[in-house]
């Protein structure tokens, strides 16, 4: 009697895999994959060494191979992450990527601990092993299984393969992460890579270079930071009866943040392989923090636009302003939370710890304070128009507050940095294999911190100096230089963040 | 590219193009008819016959067969006949018509024959094609009908073992059908890597099955090869060129510990000790006297061998005991270790071990040596080359000697069939061969020789691509691939099948099949009818099937039926694997071996009579190689280099296939200990050199090779820069043209080099 398959799985006998790569190439041929795209990858894991003893060479070198495609996981992290809902799971367990929906953001690739997702340059989209669903539907085996000259690949319902050891030791990730439908009979030396350093060829991707995302995250965080700081100051001022000033600060906040978030969202399109499909990004609110991030970013942008519009009116409704500001503020916070969660991937140990929210928050405040400080200095003449004397004194205290923030933040920055380094590089990953740190040496870190700290202190000095002697000529120049230093420092920091990307697995 | 529905109507089963790859496998090519291009192959799958048993397993293609479309549709395919402009070897050509090309070739053949004689014509060793109508045999037939040419014997692959094996066993058919391995308790894979070089489709699969059946498997190899990784319970690294020393030490252990199968030795062997010497050689050194050091004062003990082999003596002792007691056992010798200086010795030493352990003529055992199939094995080529009116033959490896000084060559240079050669080689017609440059030893020397137009006056090269040999052509002829021509193949060394290779595609541009080109030349030379015998290519395949039916496969269907089934392969299951020497084992008197004594000759009278005991001893001996870590050359060139047969290529075929380069990037493989000592980091460009040439290429660290040994996988295409430095990595830049003393075979793996970090 033919039971329908509930979860198709691969069985791989690592004990007899020679690393011949017939499986890898059979797959490439079937699916027409160009050089650089491997839907099935054969990894060589090796280690050990040599010692000489009385003229003889003693070797404890070990080597074995792992042939991994997509594991059509029972907890597919790619499907959870995809903002466009382009990845779905069939009733028989096969996970498929719909190329009609994929916008090429690459988020799935960040999350998959098996390297299954492969970018198709010519199509601007992600792609991956399909379990040869067309062959399966015709009752035939996947191309890789049929190809193997040593007959070490097999397939079938996962229930067939559940007795015996699962063979998922390092460098493979723990199975709980995504519950791969992959059963491995281990090689006689598989256990060694769990206890000793082992080299894996091909090495997994690490140390991301994502300039458009560096720009997007910094701009978005600057926008939120700036708006929240202005908003907090405005809120405090309304308590102390400084409404006209508060209104001006709100306007300044909106005018600052709106172009920042707009620019950020525009530059983020450059990250997509298919930017015309960007609208799909909010489709997966159910499970993808990336969808939620884009939703909050959109809400933030809209509310800021509304605020900007309202602030142009002669006598804007204070209630409307307040509520819209609160809505914008909440959207901004939602954006910060979502953006942080986007990076807290359970398969990326170097990001999935408190260092990420700390560094994102500190950056938001730092860049926000820079935006605030620069806006205050640049907009002083406009700010001062029509202000009563008490309000002018309040304005001076706003300047001093901003200066104080800019002195305190670097200290927090420095502490958070130590935390970040410690949290990102615990030395050994969760599977016991020493993480290869893609981070550069300490001098780069010191340079990054120094740049930001000097910039912050310089801007603080300009702000404070302004309260003592307004209109001094060195203030604008100092402010510009300080801003540049702050931005450069944060850009370096964000690039280092992406370079710290190190996921589990292969 | 869209995924295609599997549709039986457009799938044709066909033999994988028969290169010298070690396999004969089945492909299923998926075709479609394109309105502009005609029929195209869209993808390739492999044998999917149901069953896949040990007796009749599927013939699954390797990574090279699976990536074949990247070769078939490679943009660099030769499309038109070309003639050389500029100096020979520069590789600049101009397109010409077929008429001009063939007129030129025919004209030169006639000129050289008239001026010098037929023995000045030469078809070099070439194994790029083996499917009857593709390959050098087509040109050999042409030459033979034209009055003959200088012949060749032996091979590059099996030079030493081809000649040595018959000295001890009287035959080359010392192997069993492979399914018999499942009866073994112990298997030594000595320098043998079937998981990568195949050695018959499914050989690696059969060893896996033997292991599942309980056999303990050992790999003895300087590298932890793919076979060691996937098939071995233990890997024993050994210094290249010292295998005979370890074998001798194993014999020492067996003799001194009473583990020799003395009953078998007494009844089936001669030369073990003085009680069994041939009368004419009474008193000469016997096998055991050599092993025990009773004549030369050097007992071939495990500690003697440890110093040479870098294998710890405890390991040698243990392996000897295991092989002697875990019986029946297989000692399979790979071919790399006999492609070395004095390669004959390791062949004989391995056979001797198999003999004294009593593993000859028993199921689950293995007599070692070349080990062709007993009784009946693959025919390789059936296409008749006819008799060669020129009787003189040279060892195939000595062709460059025959260019330089043919008229001085005689039996001392391995010439057979004549006392001396009448001519130097004056005309070369190379078909499916990259052995003029790439695969022959000492590339820089061959290039110098071939550049001199006063030596070889005319060179024709017929190939699919502009290989390094093709660069030296005067006329370059574009050949069809095997998808574009008819063919048929049977196994590679092993196998019980006939695999059909119908023509699938039209020839690319103006390319023609090897058969067609030679037939057209024959026409011009006045014997077209004699060449074709009135058969077109399809009819020749029909003819070949008739021959198979008469000899190996009486039930083989005719071509029309065979084609109509679209099965691609006719196979005969092996349920009772044949074992070599069972009759001899059972009754050595009634079934003597074809040796002078009728027995296994641990001492060979014939070798003794050659009177060259230093290089051709009568019993197998360890002889220090002429380039080794133990000689003075090691002070300048301290590293041994080997060139394993990588899955990236079939010798030099497939070097230009991108998917294969992606899978197996071409690198010099070096142990980190050797690299760090030289300040080399993983991935650095390195300079690798000796007196014969220099290569600059990227390196890759590996722990899977002994320190002191580097590995440059063979077959990369020679790519000299303006300084003559090879930038791709062709190991023959470093190899020596010196040949082995008995077989006149290649010793290309005996290489000492130095490695340094190269500036970018």
């Amino acid at each position: 009697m033919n039971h329908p398959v509930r979860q198709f799985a691969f069985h791989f006998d690592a004990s007899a895999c020679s690393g011949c790569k017939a499986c890898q190439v059979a797959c490439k041929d079937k699916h027409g994959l160009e050089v650089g795209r491997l839907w099935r990858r054969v990894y060589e894991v090796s280690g050990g060494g040599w010692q000489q003893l009385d003229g003889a060479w003693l070797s404890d070198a070990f080597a074995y191979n792992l042939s991994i495609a997509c594991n059509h996981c029972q907890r597919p992290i790619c499907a959870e992450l995809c903002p466009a809902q382009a990845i779905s799971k069939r009733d028989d367990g096969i996970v498929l990527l719909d190329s009609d929906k994929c916008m090429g953001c690459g988020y799935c690739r960040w999350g998959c601990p098996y390297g299954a997702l492969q970018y198709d340059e010519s199509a601007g989209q992600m792609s991956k092993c399909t379990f040869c669903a067309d062959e399966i539907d015709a009752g035939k085996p996947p191309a890789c299984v049929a190809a193997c000259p040593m007959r070490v690949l097999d397939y079938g319902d996962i229930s067939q393969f559940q007795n015996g050891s699962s063979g998922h030791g390092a460098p493979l990730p723990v199975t709980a992460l995504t519950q791969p439908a992959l059963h491995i009979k281990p090689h006689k030396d598989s256990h060694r890579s769990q206890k000793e350093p082992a080299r894996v060829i091909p090495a997994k991707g690490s140390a991301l270079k994502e300039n458009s995302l560096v720009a997007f995250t910094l701009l978005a965080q600057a926008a939120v930071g700036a708006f929240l700081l202005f908003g907090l100051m405005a809120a405090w001022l309304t308590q102390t009866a400084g409404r006209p000033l508060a209104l001006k600060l709100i306007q300044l906040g909106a005018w600052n943040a709106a172009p920042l978030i707009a620019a950020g969202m525009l530059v983020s399109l450059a990250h997509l392989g298919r930017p015309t499909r960007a609208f799909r990004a909010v489709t997966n609110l159910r499970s993808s923090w990336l969808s939620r991030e884009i939703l909050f970013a959109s809400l933030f942008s809209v509310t800021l636009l509304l605020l900007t519009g309202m602030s142009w009116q002669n006598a804007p409704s204070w209630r409307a302003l307040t509520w819209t500001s609160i809505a914008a503020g909440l959207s901004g916070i939602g954006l910060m939370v979502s953006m942080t969660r986007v990076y807290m991937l359970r398969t990326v140990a170097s990001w999935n710890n408190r260092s990420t929210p700390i560094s994102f928050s500190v950056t938001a405040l730092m860049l926000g304070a820079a935006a605030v400080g620069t806006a205050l200095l640049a907009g002083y003449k406009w700010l001062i128009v029509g202000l009563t004397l008490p309000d002018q004194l309040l304005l001076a205290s706003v300047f001093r507050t901003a200066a104080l923030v800019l002195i305190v933040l670097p200290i927090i920055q420095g502490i958070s940095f130590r935390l970040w380094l410690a949290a990102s590089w615990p030395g050994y990953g969760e599977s016991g294999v020493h993480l290869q740190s893609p981070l550069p040496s300490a001098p780069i870190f010191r340079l990054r911190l120094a740049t930001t700290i000097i910039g912050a202190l310089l801007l603080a000095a300009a702000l404070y100096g302004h309260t003592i002697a307004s209109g001094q000529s060195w203030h604008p120049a100092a402010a510009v230089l300080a801003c540049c230093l702050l931005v450069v420092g944060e850009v370096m920091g964000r690039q280092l963040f992406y370079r710290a990307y190190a996921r589990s697995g292969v | 590219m869209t995924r295609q529905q599997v549709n039986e109507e457009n799938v044709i089963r066909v033999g994988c193009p028969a290169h010298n790859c070690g396999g004969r496998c089945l492909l299923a090519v998926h075709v479609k008819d394109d309105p502009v291009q005609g029929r195209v192959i869209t993808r390739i799958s492999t044998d999917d016959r149901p069953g896949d048993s040990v007796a009749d397993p599927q013939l699954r293609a390797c990574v090279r067969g699976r990536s074949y479309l990247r070769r078939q549709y490679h943009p660099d395919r030769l499309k038109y006949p070309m003639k050389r402009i500029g100096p020979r070897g520069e590789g600049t050509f101009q397109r010409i018509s077929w008429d001009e090309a063939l007129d030129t070739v025919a004209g030169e053949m006639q000129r050289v024959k008239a001026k010098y004689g037929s023995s000045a014509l030469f078809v070099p060793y070439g194994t790029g094609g083996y499917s009857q109508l593709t390959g050098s045999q087509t040109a050999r037939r042409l030459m033979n009908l034209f009055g003959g040419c200088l012949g060749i014997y032996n091979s590059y692959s099996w030079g030493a073992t081809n000649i040595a094996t018959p000295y001890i066993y009287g035959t080359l058919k010392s192997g069993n059908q492979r399914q018999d391995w499942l009866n073994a308790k112990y298997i030594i894979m000595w320098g043998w890597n079937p998981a990568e070089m195949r050695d018959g489709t499914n050989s690696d699969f059969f060893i896996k099955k033997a292991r599942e059946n309980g056999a303990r498997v050992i790999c003895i190899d300087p590298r932890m090869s793919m076979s060691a990784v996937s098939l071995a319970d233990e890997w024993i690294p050994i210094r290249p060129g010292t295998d005979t020393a370890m074998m001798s030490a194993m014999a020492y252990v067996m003799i001194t510990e009473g583990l020799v199968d003395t009953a078998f030795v007494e009844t089936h062997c001669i030369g073990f000790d003085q009680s069994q010497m041939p009368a004419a050689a009474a008193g000469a050194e016997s096998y055991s006297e050599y092993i025990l050091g009773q004549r030369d004062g050097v007992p071939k003990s495990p500690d003697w061998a440890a110093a040479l082999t870098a294998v710890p003596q405890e390991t040698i002792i243990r392996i000897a005991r295991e092989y002697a007691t875990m019986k029946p056992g297989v000692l399979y010798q790979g071919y790399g270790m006999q492609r070395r200086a004095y390669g004959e010795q390791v062949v004989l030493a391995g056979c001797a071990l198999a003999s004294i352990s009593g593993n000859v003529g028993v199921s689950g055992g293995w007599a070692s040596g070349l080990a062709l199939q007993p009784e009946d094995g693959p025919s390789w080529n059936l296409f008749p080359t006819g008799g060669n009116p020129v009787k003189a033959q040279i060892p195939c490896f000595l062709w460059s000697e025959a260019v330089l000084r043919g008229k001085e060559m005689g039996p001392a240079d391995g010439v057979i069939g004549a006392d001396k050669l009448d001519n130097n080689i004056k005309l070369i017609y190379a078909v499916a061969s990259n052995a003029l440059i790439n695969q022959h030893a000492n590339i820089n020397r061959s290039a110098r020789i071939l550049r001199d137009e006063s030596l070889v006056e005319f060179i024709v090269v017929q190939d699919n691509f502009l290989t390094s040999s093709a660069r030296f052509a005067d006329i370059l002829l574009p050949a069809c691939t095997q998808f574009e021509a008819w063919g048929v193949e049977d196994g590679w060394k092993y196998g019980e099948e006939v695999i059909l290779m119908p023509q699938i595609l039209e020839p690319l541009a103006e390319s023609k099949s090897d058969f067609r080109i030679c037939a057209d030349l024959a026409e011009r030379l006045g014997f077209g009818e004699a060449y074709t015998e009135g058969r077109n290519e399809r009819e020749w395949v029909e003819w070949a099937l008739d021959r198979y039916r008469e000899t190996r496969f009486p039930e083989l269907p005719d071509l029309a039926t065979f084609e109509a089934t679209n099965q691609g392969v006719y196979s005969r299951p092996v349920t009772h694997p044949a074992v070599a020497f069972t009759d001899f084992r059972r009754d050595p008197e009634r079934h003597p071996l074809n040796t002078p004594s009728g027995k296994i000759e641990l001492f060979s009278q014939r070798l003794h009579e050659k009177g060259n005991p230093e290089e051709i001893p009568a019993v197998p001996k360890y002889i220090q190689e002429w380039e080794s870590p133990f000689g003075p050359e090691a002070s300048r060139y301290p590293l041994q280099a080997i060139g394993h047969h990588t899955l990236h290529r079939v010798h030099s075929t497939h070097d230009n296939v991108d998917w294969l380069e992606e899978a197996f990037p071409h690198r010099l493989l070096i142990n980190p200990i050797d690299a760090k000592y030289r300040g080399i980091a993983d991935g650095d460009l390195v300079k690798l050199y000796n007196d014969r040439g220099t290569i600059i290429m990227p390196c890759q660290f590996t722990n899977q090779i002994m320190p002191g040994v580097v590995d440059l996988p063979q077959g990369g295409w020679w790519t000299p820069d303006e300084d003559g430095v090879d930038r791709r990595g062709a190991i023959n830049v470093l190899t020596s043209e010196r040949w082995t003393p008995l077989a006149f075979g290649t010793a290309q793996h005996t290489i000492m080099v130095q490695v340094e970090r190269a500036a970018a």
Side-chain angles (χ1 to χ4, degrees), chain B residues 406-425:
Chain B
K407 289 186 278 203
E408 290 145 31
M409 288 172 75
D413 299 296
V415 171
I416 59 176
D419 292 330
K420 59 172 214 53
L421 298 186
D422 294 330
N423 275 303
N424 296 351
I425 292 174

Side-chain angles (χ1 to χ4, degrees), chain B residues 361 579-588 591:
Chain B
V579 173
F581 304 130
T582 44
D583 287 341
F584 165 71
R585 174 126 191 169
R586 199 181 57 251
D587 193 340
H591 302 280

